[in-house]
Amino acid sequence: MLLKRAVVLAVTMVALPNALAQTVQKPGLQLPSTAAANKQLIVKMFTSAFDAYTKFAFGHDDLQPVSETFNDELNGFGASIVDAMDTALIMGLDDIFNTALNFSSQISFAHSPITANSVSVFENTIRFVGGFLSAFELSGNQHTILVEKAKELADQLAFAWVGDNDIPFGHLDFSTTPPTPLIATSNIAEAGSLDLEWFTLSKFTGNDTYRNLTEKSVRHMIALPDPLPGLPGQCIDPSTGESDCAYVTWGGGSDSYFEYLVKYQRLTGMADQTFINTWRTAVDSSIKTLRKVSTVGDHVYLADFDDDGLIRHIGSHLACFHGGNWLLGGKLLNNNTIVDVALDLVDACWNTYQSTATGIGPETFAWISSDGNFTGGDAPAASDLQFYKEHGFYIFNGGSDYILRPEVLESNFYAWRVTGDIKYQQRAAAAAQSFQKFLTINGGFSGLNNVDSTATDADARIDDQESFFFAEVMKYLFLTFDDPEHISLDNFVFNTEAHPFPVGPVQPGFGSQPLTTVEKPKFTATATGAIPAISSNPSLPKQIEPLIHGLFGRLRL
């Protein structure tokens, strides 16, 4: 079978050090003549969605555009306003930014307005702490209230680290003072995707505790036994610090752990190469073990690897961030093998968009490759096989929905900025047109139950305009059509909610250390250890305690 690109044996990445890092964006990138009109369309979509939110849901987390009401699934702190703030800045929408700034200054994180819901450390970090600090930097470091709000929230979230635990619990009960950790297993994405934001908070507060807490969590997970080199199982027990399963995926539950390895190295510029080397090992391992090519269309996918050591031929919209992430890391490492595979991954994910009736991709999908079609679920039905014969994938396990996810457009944005190929402009424009045609309702944008149906009645829709529509979908589309030097990939890294943080020049020697062949013990399931007793006031490092106890008298995703 002829593959789309010849892939150099991945093992060469382990044997040889990379050349010095280079720029990520293609030099001299020129926008096509269509970009200006497309950029204005995205601004129009953003302002329409925010106006609808303002009319029906202001101060709450999400607009429900079909029923013209709201929900507070993220604890009622006003997620959409904070997620929209830096996008408004980037678009030059000062009125919306000022509205968001004024609202943000009044948020109190002392308690969740919706106390019945647990507070996610991960979700509140990536949306609020990240959103506040990104807007602070993008606005010229002049609105210090944004740092204060990020600090106020982080001081509450810091109670997720109990005693000497390296790994934070994933959720807290904010109805108690101080917040009480909810004892449960977590995953590597939740525990390993906090360091960009908390490192930045340490930078602006002068308190290194925030960085120490989140960085030690990632270092702990890097040191754990892996089912595959560089690829940890996605489940982790904060009580013991041990892995709790051997399931490997670049999808939900693991995704942003991998994403942040390369981004944290780039943001911090630290001489220690542990993070980028771990990322490079994960990519090497993925190319050798998880990279699969469909028997129809030669589409390149990354499979999952389950607890039984079996390849599962499944993918997801969430996992489609990997193409953009690999482009970033591949360019920083000057590694064309990674870049070429990344572009194949981008193409395969885009194919899930162009193959449906709406031109929008599904939540989950599956395929068949030379080693079979095992998914861990039912064998494909006749209708699945027919769809596969036409498109090189099929919608898997009822995952035909779309909830305004950004990942395919995120990777498309990276591919445009890296290559300058006009097809990525055309794809972004096609997606925007599909959103306009199939998602708009009452001024806002809803999800869809079935992306392969053109029905747009109320029953066909998912009644939620997720806050990340403002932070991610609108931002990545806008930046695709905007001046490439604005928020350049050589000057910023994005957190997983697309909040950008400025970075300095790439440090000499980035990723130049050769990978070692140190063998970690292979993962084996172990019995869960005893859960330590949790007091009403968990012990925190001494330097953070004053930050917490002095905040409740001050004026918060």
Side-chain angles (χ1 to χ4, degrees):
M1 179 173 57
L2 180 65
L3 300 185
K4 296 170 67 177
R5 292 185 178 89
V7 177
V8 180
L9 284 177
V11 72
T12 61
M13 296 194 295
V14 175
L16 299 174
N18 289 284
L20 291 179
Q22 62 178 31
T23 58
V24 176
Q25 290 198 175
K26 181 179 180 180
L29 194 60
Q30 296 293 314
L31 288 167
S33 59
T34 55
N38 285 324
K39 184 171 78 168
Q40 288 308 307
L41 172 62
I42 304 307
V43 173
K44 180 180 177 181
M45 292 168 65
F46 178 90
T47 54
S48 176
F50 196 82
D51 286 347
Y53 168 79
T54 300
K55 182 177 180 180
F56 301 116
F58 190 83
H60 296 278
D61 287 331
D62 289 347
L63 166 68
Q64 294 184 195
V66 179
S67 54
E68 298 182 338
T69 186
F70 57 83
N71 69 66
D72 284 314
E73 292 298 317
L74 289 160
N75 307 104
F77 292 129
S80 287
I81 301 175
V82 178
D83 258 351
M85 186 160 42
D86 62 358
T87 307
L89 263 178
I90 288 169
M91 291 182 175
L93 301 172
D94 293 342
D95 288 347
I96 292 179
F97 169 74
N98 288 327
T99 296
L101 176 64
N102 181 64
F103 177 86
S104 297
S105 69
Q106 304 303 314
I107 301 172
S108 172
F109 293 107
H111 296 282
S112 166
I114 313 299
T115 56
N117 294 339
S118 63
V119 174
S120 167
V121 177
F122 167 74
E123 295 290 356
N124 281 273
T125 290
I126 65 172
R127 301 182 198 228
F128 288 98
V129 178
F132 291 142
L133 295 176
S134 178
F136 173 69
E137 293 196 83
L138 289 175
S139 60
N141 295 17
Q142 59 180 312
H143 303 293
T144 56
I145 186 64
L146 295 173
V147 177
E148 292 177 25
K149 290 289 113 178
K151 175 175 172 289
E152 180 183 332
L153 175 57
D155 288 341
Q156 291 280 83
L157 299 177
F159 281 98
W161 280 268
V162 175
D164 294 328
N165 287 1
D166 287 345
I167 307 297
F169 287 101
H171 293 79
L172 294 159
D173 180 359
F174 267 33
S175 67
T176 64
T177 302
T180 304
L182 301 177
I183 309 304
T185 56
S186 188
N187 58 65
I188 61 173
E190 286 188 342
S193 310
L194 312 170
D195 48 4
L196 292 183
E197 299 83 0
W198 289 46
F199 168 86
T200 303
L201 183 59
S202 282
K203 179 176 72 172
F204 288 119
T205 62
N207 189 314
D208 208 34
T209 300
Y210 304 109
R211 179 194 65 82
N212 283 330
L213 285 172
T214 56
E215 188 177 305
K216 76 173 181 177
S217 177
V218 182
R219 291 186 182 278
H220 181 108
M221 289 184 284
I222 288 173
L224 289 173
D226 296 329
L228 294 170
L231 296 169
Q234 72 176 167
C235 317
I236 191 162
D237 185 351
S239 299
T240 63
E242 298 296 327
S243 295
D244 209 34
C245 71
Y247 196 95
V248 171
T249 179
W250 281 77
S254 300
D255 44 8
S256 50
Y257 164 81
F258 299 116
E259 176 187 0
Y260 274 32
L261 289 172
V262 60
K263 290 182 175 181
Y264 191 68
Q265 191 85 49
R266 179 70 180 94
L267 179 66
T268 63
M270 59 184 173
D272 178 0
Q273 302 287 295
T274 299
F275 283 70
I276 186 60
N277 273 351
T278 302
W279 182 87
R280 190 154 46 120
T281 302
V283 171
D284 174 69
S285 210
S286 297
I287 292 175
K288 289 190 289 189
T289 304
L290 305 182
R291 178 187 175 275
K292 300 296 175 182
V293 181
S294 64
T295 58
V296 172
D298 290 341
H299 300 296
V300 175
Y301 302 105
L302 288 188
D304 288 359
F305 182 86
D306 71 16
D307 293 77
D308 297 318
L310 300 174
I311 291 292
R312 295 195 179 191
H313 301 76
I314 54 176
S316 66
H317 201 296
L318 275 169
C320 281
F321 86 96
H322 47 34
N325 188 246
W326 286 29
L327 285 171
L328 174 66
K331 292 297 289 184
L332 288 170
L333 293 170
N334 198 19
N335 189 307
N336 290 331
T337 298
I338 298 175
V339 170
D340 286 346
V341 177
L343 291 172
D344 284 342
L345 293 171
V346 174
D347 284 349
C349 285
W350 176 253
N351 183 57
T352 68
Y353 269 56
Q354 69 182 7
S355 299
T356 68
T358 61
I360 302 171
E363 179 75 1
T364 56
F365 53 89
W367 67 89
I368 301 168
S369 61
S370 60
D371 61 337
N373 66 356
F374 178 73
T375 63
D378 294 335
S383 58
D384 295 329
L385 293 174
Q386 182 58 44
F387 192 96
Y388 175 76
K389 289 177 182 178
E390 296 173 8
H391 303 294
F393 78 97
Y394 61 94
I395 295 171
F396 175 65
N397 199 30
S400 62
D401 55 312
Y402 175 68
I403 62 167
L404 310 185
R405 290 207 189 277
E407 291 79 15
V408 173
L409 300 175
E410 172 186 356
S411 289
N412 186 76
F413 160 69
Y414 278 86
W416 158 250
R417 289 283 185 93
V418 166
T419 70
D421 192 325
I422 198 69
K423 72 181 181 182
Y424 302 113
Q425 287 275 319
Q426 294 166 341
R427 290 173 178 180
Q433 292 296 333
S434 290
F435 293 168
Q436 283 283 86
K437 184 174 182 179
F438 296 106
L439 305 184
T440 55
I441 184 168
N442 297 325
F445 291 80
S446 75
L448 290 177
N449 286 309
N450 185 0
V451 295
D452 203 34
S453 168
T454 57
T456 57
D457 57 275
D459 290 340
R461 296 178 180 269
I462 299 172
D463 192 14
D464 196 6
Q465 181 178 279
E466 298 272 2
S467 76
F468 51 69
F469 180 75
F470 293 114
E472 301 186 74
V473 175
M474 292 289 92
K475 187 181 287 111
Y476 284 127
L477 282 173
F478 179 85
L479 290 175
T480 301
F481 302 125
D482 193 25
D483 178 359
E485 294 306 309
H486 187 209
I487 316 296
S488 166
L489 292 175
D490 294 313
N491 299 327
F492 290 85
V493 294
F494 294 83
N495 86 336
T496 199
E497 192 80 0
H499 298 305
F501 298 125
V503 294
V506 180
Q507 295 299 304
F510 183 98
S512 62
Q513 294 177 0
L515 299 182
T516 65
T517 56
V518 174
E519 292 288 336
K520 293 193 290 183
K522 187 175 177 61
F523 173 86
T524 54
T526 57
T528 301
I531 295 175
I534 307 298
S535 71
S536 61
N537 188 3
S539 173
L540 288 173
K542 293 297 182 183
Q543 59 265 48
I544 204 169
E545 289 178 354
L547 300 176
I548 296 170
H549 299 306
L551 287 174
F552 295 133
R554 291 210 311 265
L555 283 187
R556 147 186 210 259
L557 196 207

